[in-house]
Every structure is written in structure tokens, then in C-alpha cells.
Amino acid sequence: MLEGAEVRLAVDIGGTFTDIVLDVGQDRKTRKLLTTPQRPERAVLDGMRLILADARAHISDIDVFIHGTTLATNAIIERRGAKTALIATEGFRDVLDIGTESRYDQYDLSIDKPKPLAPRSLRFTVPERIDAHGAVRLPLDEAAVRALAPRLRALNVESVAVAFLHSYANPEHERRTAAIISEEMPGISVTVSSAVCPEIREYERTSTAVANAYVQPLIDGYLARMSDALQVEQYRGAIYLVTSGGGVTSIETARRFPVRLVESGPAGGAIFAAQIAARLGESKVLSFDMGGTTAKICLIEKYQPETSRVFEVDRAARFLKGSGLPVRIPVIEMVEIGAGGGSIAHVDAMKRVTVGPESASSEPGPACYGRGGLRPAVTDADVALGMIDPDDFAGGTIKLDPELSKQALLRAVGEPLGLSAETAAYAVHEVVCENMASAARVHAVERGEIVGQHTLIAFGGAAPLHAARVAEKIGVSRVIVPSNAGVGSAVGFLAAPIAYELVRSRHVRLDDFDTDGVSDLLQEMVTEARALVETGAAGAPVRERRAAFMRYVGQGHEISIELPNRRLATADLAGLRQKFEADYAAMFERSIPGAAIEVLSWSVLATTEARNPAIVAAVTRKPAGKATGSRKFFDGRAGEVIEIPLYRREDMAPGATIAGPAVIAEDETSTFVSNSFDAHIDGAGSIVMERKAA
């Protein structure tokens, strides 16, 4: 038993690696294992046993277990979810196909849209109708609902989504339908749109409900097995799941609303980057999280990641909004592309080197893993270039074979283009860095930001190897690789507050405002959100933030305006108008004097306080000591192999300074310092790369 010290464990299941972080008081230990896709809990439990042995602790010593995963996202992208049916209002069978009738590329005549998670053959309708005010226009035909049960059974449906017209205003028909289906088909998963997304916009609400239903059996089964396994291991502490909005929630809530976990792993990375930004006083940051399967880019302003209410999964065109499946949930705003260490490289029909989005994952993994993978991945390119020590990958737990990397690169890239293995590796490295640079440029431009004015914070197992080159491409002059960068998302989980956000639609105009009705709605939402948070807060203070999503009457999109944490009064309306017009002018350079304003939806966030890190003091820089060794590195621009120094991060004291090119190795990752940068260790142990003077 570890007396006196709080023991907190965080686990991040990625597509390739499972990262484990254990905090015992101020002491931190980390582990990185290959993910076990068929039984994800196996890698989690194996990693827990290993890291607890490192700390000489037992699972019963753990006070808090915080978990994030990309399982929900990967299930949607790879179409590995449940066989899902949709029950809709009669006449609205094709909402998922019609969408918003917009096209993400107006001039592409053969536009490729992602296939709905519920195919048309599994979409059914029943007579019922509720209007936008919640009034019943046509009662629910319960006999028609019961008649669907035998058809669903015959089709081996595993999960059902119910999405009726205007159910956000009155959920009674959806709830009754769910009760009938559950009665007729005991054990089946049922999702009602009014519970998972009680908002206007039929397409987005239906898409969110179907996505929740699609992943629910998978996530519910996984979390149930995980919970049972922890009980067998005598775990007695609290279990939390990280949500896409950057907070943590209970395992019961996660099992009901698994769609909220869609971006849980990347959200942990954004929290980690925000904490590093606050510690170092960096007010404008671009976080760059590159793992084994994907790369994520997120803008962080004044130590807060940008947030959104809609996320698109499985985009047909990775940089174009509207090309994916919309999921309407609170989410940290970021762009995600299929460019990780396991992303597979090949030559397309036009003789171009292409990387991703297909990934080698953990099974079989990149060719150098020696686990049967024959196609080259980004990790193979990094190994062939000499950037990774093959004997010390993942702390020496995975031995890499450079020859297998070179053979795979020659077969897939070198021979089709007449290139050597090393030049093929350089081509793959350049392409994947350009893909990430393009994503960063687009993400910044969409938000009116100049990307080169930001500091790049790089983390994840693969990002530190590519950060310097990405920074060169986008004009960033300062790059930070924090301590524990290789398991950054899991570290971020430990800093996440317990939080839950509710959003509900109720249309109100400011010139005809129902203060009592809106105040009652907000209080009901506060009570529900606080109930979900206070059970896990263990007595810690819970604060709330209320907001209204407002727009000029007739516009298509809203902006969020913060509300006072009390009942609203008529006297508040002038202040609401002023706040809206000020924020609108800041966003669009002007307001519209005298125009009518309306509120479509209302939001309540209940949250505990996040842990704020202390600011790090400056250090005196001095030359680093003698390098631990050296690496033979293929310099693609010069077309030759050069010898570059290899340093061990743990041997470098604060202030130690080196000039690029060099490699700084550690157990979880390696950082490549390019010829354009000098690097030093700051007071927090971060590697800080700064562009050399011209």
C-alpha cells in the first residue's frame, strides 16, 4: 500500500499503441504497448500490471482510473460497428442521404460522400408527427412500431436509432418507441435522438443518433469487460472516461452516450498542449499530435483549445468541411488526418508518392516490426533514414529491423520510381510532413489565424520526429517537445476536469422573450448536468457556465454568448443584445443595427476546476555534454549519408544546448533536430527548438 500519496492512472488506447501513465504523488511512470485490437482491454491490463510493478504498487492502490480511446472513431471509419437500423417519422426515411443538400465541392461531378452508417435497407418509418413547438399533430402508431420488431429480428439488427421530427421539442414519441422496441427485443441497444442530441437540424441530430447506436454495442461491451476485469483485479477506485469536449465523465454515462467518446484521445492531447502552453507562457500555440494512426492539429489561444459543437467523422475529402458524417456533440476543434507512424506509403496511378490514410496499425504493424507487415509505413521511412534507433524503440520493448524497412520501401516506392531505398524513405518523410503542414495551414486560415505566428507543441510517439520539418514548411520558428511527449494524451487525461455539457434547442426571439420559460429550462439543464458531475467530484467545487447560441433572424449559423448563472430577467435582454453584437462585429467586422435577434439553443456546462500548472522559470543555457553516440542519417536534400550526434534526453540537464542536426532519444519517442534549429532543455524538461539566425 502506498501511504499518503494519491495514485492516479491514465490509459489512452490508440490505433497502434496503448499508452499508460501512473502518477504516485509527484512521481510519474509511463509505459507504451502495442494495442490489441480484438480485445483492447488486454493491452490495458497488461500495461497496468507492468507499470504497477515498476512502482511496486498493487491495482487496489489506485485511487482514480482515467481512460480515453479512439475505439469509437476507428469503428466508424473502418465500419466495424453494430448492424444498425433507423426508425424515422413517416416520409423522412432518407434524411441521411439528403443531408443538408449542400456539396462540399461544387464543381466535382463525381462527388464522393461517406456512406451512412444505417443503409437504406435498414431504415424504417412509422406514422407520427410533432411540430416545432412540441404539439402532437399525429399520435404515434404503436402497432406500426411493434410490427417492426419481427423485421428487425429477421435482419439480425443489433442496435436501433430512433429519430423523429422535432423530438427535441417533445421527446414523448421517441421514448415510447424505444420502450416498445426494448419490450419486443430484450437486450437490443436503443438510442433516441432526443437524449443524445436534443437540438434542431434534423440531419445532424439523426446522424448523431445513428452514430451513437452504431458504436454503442462495441463500446458498451468493451467498457463492461473492462469494468469486470478491474473488479476481478480488486480495483476499488473511481473510473472516468474522457469525452471529446475535454472533460471526464462516469463509465455509466459513457456507456449510454459512447458517441461522446469519438475524439476522447485527441481531446486529451489538446488538454496536454494547453497545460504546456500555460506552464511556458505561450499564448498562441499550434498543437501537433502524431501517433501511430493519425495526426491531429489544434489551435490553442490564451491556454484554451478552441471548441465546437459539430465534428465530422470519416471525411471523404480530408480538408473539406461537409465531406464527413456530422456528429453534433461538444468537441475540441481540431483537424485530423490519416498520417501517423503506421500510415502506409505507396505510389498511385499518376506516379505520385502517397501516404495514408490506411494504417498498418499494431497488427501487423510497419514492416520493420517483423510481424508480417510487407507494406512500408512512415515508421519504416524514419528507420531507413536513420532517425530511429532500431534497438531502443519503445524503450527497447520492440526490436526493429531496418532491412525489412528498406525492402518494403524499395518494393512499394523505390522500384516503381527508380529510387534507392533511402531516397524512397526521404520521399515518404517529405510527403507526410507536407500533408501535416497543409492541414495546419488550412486549419489556421479557416479561423483567421496566421500559422507562422504560433509556437508548435509536438507530442505523440511520431510527432517529435517530424515537427522540425513541419515547422520549416509552415514558417514556425519555435517548437516545443514536452516531457512525456510520447504519451502526451494520457498525461492530458490526468489534468482533465470532471465535466459534462448539455445543449438543448428552444427557439426564442429577443423581442418576444419568455424569461420564465427559458430560466426554467436552464435550471432543469443545470440540475441534470450537475447530477452527472457531482457524483464523481468527491466534494470538489462544481461551477457552471451557461450560454445561448444566437443569430440574426434568418441567418444559418449561430455564435455562443455567455449568460449569467442565475434566472434571467427582462433587464438582461439589452445586455444580451450588446454582447451578441460586439462578438458578431469582432467576427465579421460589422453588426446589423436594429436587426431582430433569435436564440436557437441553450448550453449548460458543469465542471470541476482544472489543475493549473505553475509557470516555469527561465534557465541559463550552456553547451550540452558529450553525445551518447551517433546515427548514420540520410540527408535527402544533400543526397548523402552523414553522421549526426545522438543524445539521451535523461542525460541532458536544464539549459543544455545543442545545434542541429541531431537526434534526442528517450524511451517513448525520439526528437529530430533539423539543421535549421538549435535546441535546449528548459526548466520543465521540455526540448525547445529555436530557428537558427539566417
Side-chain angles (χ1 to χ4, degrees):
M1 190 73 179
L2 304 174
E3 295 294 341
E6 185 185 28
V7 182
R8 306 171 78 236
L9 184 87
V11 175
D12 176 27
I13 301 180
T16 305
F17 285 99
T18 295
D19 298 339
I20 319 275
V21 175
L22 181 72
D23 277 3
V24 182
Q26 298 300 310
D27 184 39
R28 173 169 292 164
K29 297 191 181 299
T30 66
R31 279 276 184 169
K32 206 171 186 72
L33 293 84
L34 287 171
T35 294
T36 48
Q38 302 307 316
R39 305 284 287 188
E41 67 276 11
R42 200 174 78 213
V44 174
L45 294 169
D46 288 347
M48 287 174 65
R49 294 186 188 104
L50 289 170
I51 206 166
L52 288 167
D54 294 342
R56 297 181 180 177
H58 186 267
I59 196 167
S60 61
D61 295 324
I62 300 172
D63 298 301
V64 178
F65 173 66
I66 304 175
H67 182 22
T69 175
T70 57
L71 289 175
T73 318
N74 294 344
I76 293 173
I77 292 171
E78 298 169 19
R79 294 298 197 269
R80 291 188 294 102
K83 191 172 186 179
T84 302
L86 169 66
I87 302 176
T89 301
E90 190 172 59
F92 289 82
R93 180 183 182 185
D94 295 315
V95 165
L96 294 178
D97 288 319
I98 296 169
T100 60
E101 294 188 316
S102 62
R103 296 167 63 87
Y104 63 84
D105 188 341
Q106 297 291 334
Y107 305 105
D108 185 353
L109 298 180
S110 56
I111 196 166
D112 185 21
K113 297 179 73 174
K115 290 182 173 59
L117 299 174
R120 196 170 194 274
S121 60
L122 294 179
R123 292 183 227 146
F124 306 91
T125 64
V126 292
E128 70 84 39
R129 196 61 173 265
I130 288 172
D131 68 18
H133 303 288
V136 176
R137 296 293 180 144
L138 179 67
L140 174 68
D141 187 338
E142 296 192 6
V145 176
R146 288 190 192 280
L148 286 178
R151 298 172 66 186
L152 296 175
R153 270 195 298 269
L155 291 166
N156 298 315
V157 167
E158 300 166 292
S159 190
V160 175
V162 184
F164 290 155
L165 204 64
H166 301 305
S167 62
Y168 61 86
N170 182 350
E172 196 53 44
H173 285 181
E174 283 193 353
R175 291 174 180 171
R176 182 61 189 143
T177 298
I180 293 170
I181 293 296
S182 297
E183 180 185 323
E184 296 287 331
M185 304 176 69
I188 197 168
S189 294
V190 183
T191 292
V192 294
S193 74
S194 53
V196 74
C197 178
E199 296 185 59
I200 65 163
R201 296 191 170 93
E202 209 64 29
Y203 170 51
E204 288 88 343
R205 180 162 55 83
T206 303
S207 178
T208 305
V210 170
N212 193 78
Y214 187 74
V215 299
Q216 189 164 35
L218 172 76
I219 301 298
D220 184 61
Y222 162 68
L223 292 177
R225 293 195 307 272
M226 172 66 74
S227 184
D228 292 344
L230 289 172
Q231 285 185 0
V232 169
E233 297 279 343
Q234 300 179 345
Y235 177 67
R236 296 188 291 268
I239 303 175
Y240 297 113
L241 276 295
V242 181
T243 67
S244 56
V248 297
T249 191
S250 69
I251 195 168
E252 293 79 15
T253 304
R255 289 174 70 173
R256 280 183 64 207
F257 304 122
V259 72
R260 292 259 184 156
L261 308 181
V262 160
E263 284 292 279
S264 69
I271 297 166
F272 176 65
Q275 291 267 306
I276 298 299
R279 184 178 299 163
L280 302 181
E282 298 280 355
S283 62
K284 293 176 79 70
V285 158
L286 184 74
S287 80
F288 169 33
D289 176 5
M290 182 179 177
T293 307
T294 56
K296 284 75 67 176
I297 306 282
C298 176
L299 283 172
I300 298 172
E301 304 286 334
K302 296 179 181 177
Y303 322 131
Q304 292 294 324
E306 286 202 30
T307 57
S308 177
R309 295 162 60 218
V310 180
F311 175 74
E312 287 185 14
V313 189
D314 194 22
R315 279 185 174 180
R318 63 186 174 200
F319 297 144
L320 295 180
K321 281 188 173 182
S323 66
L325 300 170
V327 174
R328 202 167 184 83
I329 53 174
V331 64
I332 289 178
E333 182 76 75
M334 63 183 73
V335 61
E336 183 171 0
I337 62 172
S343 296
I344 292 170
H346 65 280
V347 174
D348 67 12
M350 296 178 68
K351 297 295 184 181
R352 298 175 301 185
V353 177
T354 305
V355 179
E358 187 182 1
S359 174
S361 302
S362 58
E363 294 180 2
C368 58
Y369 283 16
R371 296 161 63 93
L374 298 176
R375 294 188 290 171
V378 172
T379 297
D380 290 307
D382 295 339
V383 169
L385 289 172
M387 304 170 83
I388 296 175
D389 183 350
D391 297 321
D392 202 30
F393 186 72
T397 59
I398 301 173
K399 300 296 181 184
L400 305 182
D401 188 336
E403 278 307 309
L404 291 177
S405 291
K406 292 177 181 178
Q407 290 169 18
L409 285 160
L410 271 175
R411 276 195 307 271
V413 179
E415 290 172 358
L417 299 178
L419 305 176
S420 67
E422 290 79 10
T423 306
Y426 175 68
V428 171
H429 184 85
E430 274 291 291
V431 167
V432 77
C433 288
E434 182 56 43
N435 287 348
M436 291 177 290
S438 297
R441 293 186 197 104
V442 170
H443 190 57
V445 167
E446 285 179 346
R447 279 145 196 84
E449 295 288 341
I450 300 172
V451 68
Q453 294 178 353
H454 291 66
T455 294
L456 189 70
I457 296 182
F459 54 95
L465 284 167
H466 301 85
R469 185 63 181 133
V470 172
E472 290 173 358
K473 287 176 176 287
I474 62 177
V476 164
S477 58
R478 184 174 166 87
V479 180
I480 295 169
V481 180
S483 296
N484 302 122
V487 291
S489 290
V491 174
F493 295 167
L494 296 173
I498 300 170
Y500 199 81
E501 183 176 2
L502 291 173
V503 180
R504 289 186 183 163
S505 289
R506 177 167 177 171
H507 177 256
V508 182
R509 286 175 57 132
L510 287 194
D511 54 13
D512 185 24
F513 199 86
D514 178 8
T515 53
D516 286 337
V518 169
S519 294
D520 290 343
L521 172 68
L522 287 168
Q523 190 53 52
E524 180 185 320
M525 293 169 66
V526 166
T527 302
E528 185 178 342
R530 278 184 168 272
L532 291 170
V533 171
E534 286 173 347
T535 52
V542 176
R543 62 179 177 84
E544 63 194 61
R545 189 195 71 211
R546 307 181 186 192
F549 295 103
M550 303 171 66
R551 69 185 187 185
Y552 287 115
V553 171
Q555 289 187 326
H557 298 280
E558 310 84 56
I559 58 178
S560 175
I561 303 298
E562 194 161 342
L563 300 172
N565 290 334
R566 55 171 171 76
R567 290 186 70 83
L568 296 173
T570 304
D572 293 319
L573 300 184
L576 275 180
R577 172 178 277 277
Q578 288 174 359
K579 281 185 185 177
F580 171 78
E581 290 187 334
D583 284 10
Y584 190 93
M587 192 174 295
F588 299 108
E589 298 294 333
R590 58 158 294 177
S591 60
I592 307 175
I597 296 171
E598 60 189 356
V599 184
L600 263 69
S601 298
W602 308 85
S603 163
V604 169
L605 170 70
T607 178
T608 58
E609 292 291 340
R611 303 183 179 199
N612 292 321
I615 292 179
V616 174
V619 295
T620 303
R621 300 188 199 180
K622 54 187 178 297
K626 187 179 178 183
T628 307
S630 63
R631 298 286 307 149
K632 291 189 183 302
F633 170 70
F634 180 75
D635 184 343
R637 279 177 273 193
E640 62 183 11
V641 175
I642 60 174
E643 196 98 1
I644 62 173
L646 171 70
Y647 296 87
R648 288 293 303 180
R649 184 169 183 158
E650 59 268 25
D651 296 338
M652 299 177 72
T657 304
I658 64 170
V663 172
I664 303 174
E666 55 189 302
D667 286 350
E668 302 153 359
T669 186
S670 290
T671 300
F672 177 68
V673 184
S674 75
N675 192 48
S676 301
F677 289 89
D678 291 325
H680 71 273
I681 306 296
D682 72 5
S686 299
I687 299 169
V688 180
M689 288 188 266
E690 294 177 331
R691 195 178 289 270
K692 295 176 182 178

